[in-house]
Amino acid sequence: MKVHDHQLQVPGLRMTKQRKEVYRALMENQDHPSASELFDQMQDTESPMSLATVYNCLEAFVEHGAVKQVNIDREPSRYCQNSTPHAHFHEQETGTIHDINFKPGTSLSDILDLPEGTEISNLEITLKGKLPQ
Amino acid sequence: MKVHDHQLQVPGLRMTKQRKEVYRALMENQDHPSASELFDQMQDTESPMSLATVYNCLEAFVEHGAVKQVNIDREPSRYCQNSTPHAHFHEQETGTIHDINFKPGTSLSDILDLPEGTEISNLEITLKGKLPQ
DNA sequence: GTCTTTTTTAGAATAATTCTAAGTTTATTG
DNA sequence: CAATAAACTTAGAATTATTCTAAAAAAGAC
Ligand SMILES: [Mn+2]
Ligand SMILES: [Mn+2]
Ligand SMILES: [Zn+2]
Ligand SMILES: [Zn+2]
């Protein structure tokens, strides 16, 4: 998979104009938009599309590891443009979601009592609270 | 809040027979049952109750910090009898959820690049994969 | 061009959860 | 104790994010 200037290329994933548009909006969005927020944005583009298509596009990106689906509590899923490993901080006052990076050279097993030989295929860390300032 | 022999006592929380029964089932359940699984179990007790009541009881427990609501992906919420801080490991083959404790003396900020002064009110860690054996 | 596969779409369906409003139980007060 | 107030339970309706369906359109292969 190559990512360059908001152009996504994944072998086996057709880059239709709808997918290009959804991907672009996601990349330009610093926040973590929901499907319906993206759907609203799509209505102002040259390829307005159905909500089903927005969901389909996002699902394709998530399946190919280009986008992360972020589930916090039972709220509508949000989608994350940052495909590198990171945690999510949900600021309570504003409702915004911030990416938090891992410290280099650290691992979850530094703080978790995991049995030896555990294979982790997926990892989600979500914090809620207040960031300084 | 005092917990003794599966008797929950929280100031301000009436311990009706329905709440006692839901709490007991949750405590005796090593797994992390969903509301509808608990509802099914309730039908065999001396106080069969409505699904709305199961949801109401669980909501009351969660609000009072006696029970944890566990959300993994978009699956139905599961409820956790372990009110101490811990992470959840979702075993992919069986679908079971295991509690993982934190190593004593460690903190999330050991591995996360959190700004100084961050206030964390809530924390969720979910792993997915395979446990040994 | 034809053929095949993938994608898009409108609208219907699904399903977990919440809401409503009425009845019941429990606590409090005099 | 009786009267009143507050909290709780309930059946069923409503909500709503998401998925499904089945038909049309688009894209790629040849
Ligand atoms: Mn939010
Ligand atoms: Mn599961
Ligand atoms: Zn993110
Ligand atoms: Zn747990």
Side-chain angles (χ1 to χ4, degrees):
Chain A
M1 176 186 12
K2 276 183 297 181
V3 176
H4 177 60
D5 200 11
H6 296 176
Q7 302 295 95
L8 175 68
Q9 283 188 30
V10 190
L13 190 63
R14 256 182 218 172
M15 267 304 158
T16 62
K17 62 182 191 222
Q18 290 90 345
R19 286 181 178 164
K20 278 195 192 111
E21 207 61 62
V22 171
Y23 193 74
R24 188 198 48 71
L26 201 47
M27 288 301 132
E28 289 177 358
N29 210 321
Q30 72 283 37
D31 208 351
H32 291 72
S34 64
S36 79
E37 282 164 357
L38 286 167
F39 169 71
D40 289 345
Q41 288 187 45
M42 291 304 105
Q43 302 323 296
D44 304 327
T45 67
E46 286 182 31
S47 50
M49 69 195 75
S50 71
L51 180 56
T53 299
V54 175
Y55 273 107
N56 289 342
C57 292
L58 292 168
E59 182 184 54
F61 297 153
V62 170
E63 271 173 5
H64 286 80
V67 163
K68 273 192 180 164
Q69 186 171 355
V70 181
N71 296 304
I72 296 185
D73 300 335
R74 305 244 91 218
E75 290 179 13
S77 286
R78 311 191 78 82
Y79 296 85
C80 172
Q81 69 283 24
N82 178 353
S83 63
T84 67
H86 63 281
H88 285 114
F89 194 99
H90 187 245
E91 221 171 345
Q92 255 163 346
E93 308 222 336
T94 60
T96 49
I97 296 177
H98 298 264
D99 287 351
I100 307 282
N101 289 319
F102 290 101
K103 286 186 178 169
T106 63
S107 145
L108 241 210
S109 52
D110 293 345
I111 62 167
L112 285 188
D113 218 347
L114 286 164
E116 295 242 352
T118 302
E119 287 172 39
I120 299 172
S121 70
N122 193 274
L123 164 57
E124 260 175 56
I125 300 184
T126 304
L127 310 169
K128 218 172 287 187
K130 222 187 283 185
L131 285 176
Q133 288 162 25
Chain B
M1 173 191 10
K2 277 182 297 181
V3 177
H4 176 60
D5 200 11
H6 296 178
Q7 301 296 94
L8 175 69
Q9 284 188 26
V10 191
L13 189 63
R14 257 182 217 173
M15 265 304 154
T16 61
K17 61 182 191 220
Q18 290 89 346
R19 285 180 180 167
K20 278 195 192 110
E21 206 62 60
V22 171
Y23 192 73
R24 186 198 50 71
L26 201 46
M27 287 301 132
E28 290 178 356
N29 210 321
Q30 71 283 37
D31 209 350
H32 292 72
S34 64
S36 78
E37 282 165 357
L38 286 167
F39 169 71
D40 289 345
Q41 288 187 46
M42 291 304 104
Q43 302 323 296
D44 303 329
T45 68
E46 288 182 28
S47 49
M49 70 195 75
S50 72
L51 180 57
T53 298
V54 174
Y55 272 108
N56 289 343
C57 293
L58 291 169
E59 182 184 54
F61 297 152
V62 169
E63 271 173 5
H64 286 81
V67 163
K68 272 192 181 164
Q69 186 170 356
V70 181
N71 297 304
I72 296 185
D73 299 336
R74 306 244 93 218
E75 291 179 12
S77 286
R78 313 191 76 84
Y79 295 86
C80 173
Q81 68 282 24
N82 180 352
S83 64
T84 68
H86 63 280
H88 286 115
F89 194 99
H90 189 247
E91 220 170 345
Q92 254 161 347
E93 308 222 335
T94 61
T96 49
I97 295 177
H98 298 263
D99 288 351
I100 306 283
N101 290 317
F102 290 102
K103 287 187 177 170
T106 63
S107 146
L108 241 209
S109 52
D110 293 342
I111 61 167
L112 285 188
D113 219 348
L114 287 163
E116 296 242 353
T118 302
E119 286 172 40
I120 298 173
S121 70
N122 191 275
L123 166 56
E124 261 175 56
I125 300 184
T126 304
L127 309 169
K128 218 172 288 187
K130 225 188 282 188
L131 286 175
Q133 287 163 28

